[in-house]
Amino acid sequence: MDYRPIPKQVDVVIVGGGVVGSAVAYYLARRGLKPLLLERNRLAGEASGAAAGMLAALAEMEETGPLYELARRSRDLFPELAVQLRELTGIDIALMRRGMLKVAQTPEQVDKLRATVAFQRESGEEVRWLDGQEARECEPALSSDVIGAVDIAGDGQLSAPSLSLAFAQAAVALGAEVYEHCEVLQLITEQRPGVSRPRIVGVETDAGTITSEHVVVTSGVWSSRLLERSGIRLPLYPVKGELFSVISHRPLIHRTIFADSVYVVPKGGGRLIVGATMVPHRFDRAVSYGGISQLMQQAQKILPGIVETEWERAWTGIRPQTPDGLPYIGPFERYEGLYAAAGHFRNGILLSPITGQTIANLIASGTEEEELKPFYPERVQEVIT
Ligand code: FAD
Ligand code: GLY
């Protein structure tokens, strides 16, 4: 429990201090509201602190559609955001905009990637197809296993833990309050006479009751459990991911290398993050021999020189996934004043600014955008009872 007494009444309660909750707090505070961010453990202690930090708006999207558009909009917010966060907090989110190479190792992967180049170009993105030789001219450490690649100029990367903490600190600098080690146990709702639907009036926490007319559930994969207690069904399931890092004492790669079953992200100080496994329906945080050795083999196939690097550490995170693959971002129909921002699966770091902006627009000015409606939670059958 935080040593300060929790406030009794606030403008907005945000439940969960990962990157999404912290982004929501930041954008609400920018709009002049005083949100309260509650985190049951430590800020960014789950997926948001584990992520590799890629802003893979193109590399991770295989088709056009609402998510592709949302991802590109969000990615393009980062250059200005990095400056704003640094000014408010002094934190450098280590934004690198050197592009990515998405590589193919089989003829089938070549066909698939070439098809993505067509729609990416059509949407105005700077992408080019490279054969294996051209890919090695860009990144000489790539092996002959790589037979083609898409050079994606616009995708970048950053430090995921720094982004989450910078959002939270910047929110505080603008008037938000943040409490760690405070768990929300229950939503409090009320049916007022003459009003068609009940509304949210606050939350019950392990440190007492807080009154608020707006509550945003940003509890990652755990959002379902909290909502279930209020009769709301919001399907989410965990997809565990394992990663490791090594230190390279000579420059190995300049850009992020993204392959079908592994990616290698070059960070400052010669660090390379290698990720990530995908294990659905697992909540445990164990680093497995099988997972790490699989990543090592895949990484070595595309970058043989990685064997000369120095081992640093391995860790895991739990991605929050939704059945239809789209995150939930928006208001609930069942209770007035209740919102969700959860289920960002492999792209929560990338999607954090647009998610924060969207929720802040809804709460601060009631602004709804047609293009964002596919993400509203009402697309699932919300009511349990
Ligand atoms: P979380 O980070 O899980 O945060 C939810 C928080 O809510 C937790 O801190 C939890 O303790 C808290 N909480 C839960 N219940 C309660 C409660 N009742 N009361 C108070 N607090 C509560 N995304 C990218 O964009 N780029 C990447 O390169 C990338 N790489 C990844 C690599 C791995 C291995 C993994 C696992 C994920 C990766 N992701 C990446 C995905 C990204 O990490 C997630 O989509 C994102 O972190 C989800 O953020 P969140 O805030 O919704 O959830
Ligand atoms: N976006 C990378 C991952 O989820 O592993």
Side-chain angles (χ1 to χ4, degrees):
M1 211 86 72
D2 206 293
Y3 62 89
R4 297 165 294 165
I6 54 163
K8 295 264 177 284
Q9 186 170 7
V10 296
D11 292 339
V12 186
V13 173
I14 303 162
V15 188
V19 72
V20 173
S22 300
V24 169
Y26 171 67
Y27 285 101
L28 281 168
R30 278 184 71 95
R31 300 292 298 263
L33 292 168
K34 295 218 173 305
L36 170 67
L37 176 61
L38 300 176
E39 164 54 46
R40 64 179 176 184
N41 292 319
R42 284 179 302 111
L43 290 174
E46 297 286 355
S48 304
M54 291 178 290
L55 306 178
L58 267 61
E60 293 221 33
M61 306 289 154
E62 292 179 349
E63 55 187 25
T64 48
L67 189 56
Y68 177 67
E69 297 307 331
L70 193 77
R72 295 193 309 135
R73 266 178 78 178
S74 200
R75 181 198 59 191
D76 296 346
L77 294 171
F78 278 96
E80 200 185 329
L81 176 65
V83 175
Q84 290 165 346
L85 293 178
R86 192 172 194 150
E87 278 171 6
L88 283 164
T89 67
I91 297 174
D92 177 3
I93 61 169
L95 177 64
M96 287 191 211
R97 298 168 72 207
R98 298 183 192 154
M100 290 197 190
L101 277 191
K102 187 165 183 183
V103 302
Q105 293 161 275
T106 64
E108 294 73 33
Q109 287 172 5
V110 168
D111 292 345
K112 208 167 124 191
L113 286 190
R114 294 199 82 140
T116 63
V117 169
F119 79 72
Q120 289 164 348
R121 274 214 193 112
E122 230 167 81
S123 62
E125 290 286 338
E126 195 186 326
V127 285
R128 53 187 187 126
W129 176 255
L130 307 176
D131 64 24
Q133 189 51 40
E134 288 167 330
R136 274 178 288 284
E137 278 161 24
C138 282
E139 291 291 349
L142 286 175
S143 74
S144 55
D145 224 52
V146 172
I147 58 173
V150 190
D151 180 11
I152 305 170
D155 283 0
Q157 54 127 331
L158 47 71
S159 161
S162 302
L163 175 67
S164 301
L165 295 178
F167 267 137
Q169 277 194 27
V172 170
L174 295 172
E177 290 192 82
V178 176
Y179 282 71
E180 292 183 300
H181 305 290
C182 180
E183 182 168 4
V184 173
L185 306 172
Q186 180 83 44
L187 307 173
I188 310 170
T189 58
E190 189 180 278
Q191 177 68 63
R192 291 177 184 164
V195 181
S196 61
R197 58 177 178 153
R199 70 159 304 124
I200 200 91
V201 289
V203 294
E204 201 66 65
T205 79
D206 58 4
T209 303
I210 302 164
T211 305
S212 181
E213 296 255 302
H214 301 280
V215 172
V216 190
V217 178
T218 59
S219 316
V221 72
W222 299 276
S223 302
S224 318
R225 289 187 196 166
L226 179 64
L227 289 160
E228 233 173 69
R229 291 180 210 141
S230 299
I232 297 179
R233 183 180 155 269
L234 193 74
L236 285 159
Y237 64 93
V239 181
K240 177 183 164 183
E242 295 165 75
L243 323 87
F244 68 88
S245 62
V246 291
I247 304 293
S248 179
H249 295 289
R250 64 179 179 83
L252 194 68
I253 49 171
H254 184 67
R255 302 162 181 74
T256 295
I257 308 296
F258 195 102
D260 233 22
S261 48
V262 72
Y263 51 76
V264 185
V265 190
K267 301 286 179 180
R271 174 171 294 113
L272 300 171
I273 294 186
V274 182
T277 59
M278 298 269 280
V279 194
H281 307 291
R282 285 275 293 275
F283 272 106
D284 70 274
R285 274 93 170 159
V287 174
S288 72
Y289 181 99
I292 298 302
S293 65
Q294 176 199 318
L295 290 174
M296 284 178 160
Q297 283 167 28
Q298 299 296 340
Q300 207 176 318
K301 268 194 195 155
I302 50 172
L303 289 172
I306 203 165
V307 292
E308 286 159 31
T309 60
E310 188 182 324
W311 175 259
E312 194 181 41
R313 70 186 186 99
W315 66 99
T316 60
I318 312 290
R319 304 176 185 90
Q321 176 60 313
T322 62
D324 65 5
L326 299 183
Y328 302 116
I329 308 170
F332 284 94
E333 289 208 312
R334 181 155 198 213
Y335 295 113
E336 199 181 339
L338 182 62
Y339 307 81
H344 293 65
F345 189 40
R346 290 180 66 116
N347 295 294
I349 304 300
L350 166 67
L351 297 172
S352 55
I354 196 77
T355 303
Q357 274 192 359
T358 304
I359 298 291
N361 287 341
L362 283 164
I363 295 178
S365 49
T367 314
E368 299 202 58
E369 276 188 64
E370 215 44 53
E371 306 88 81
L372 299 174
K373 291 198 172 159
F375 303 101
Y376 281 15
E378 67 196 30
R379 69 182 188 272
V380 298
Q381 169 80 50
E382 289 171 16
V383 181
I384 293 174
T385 49

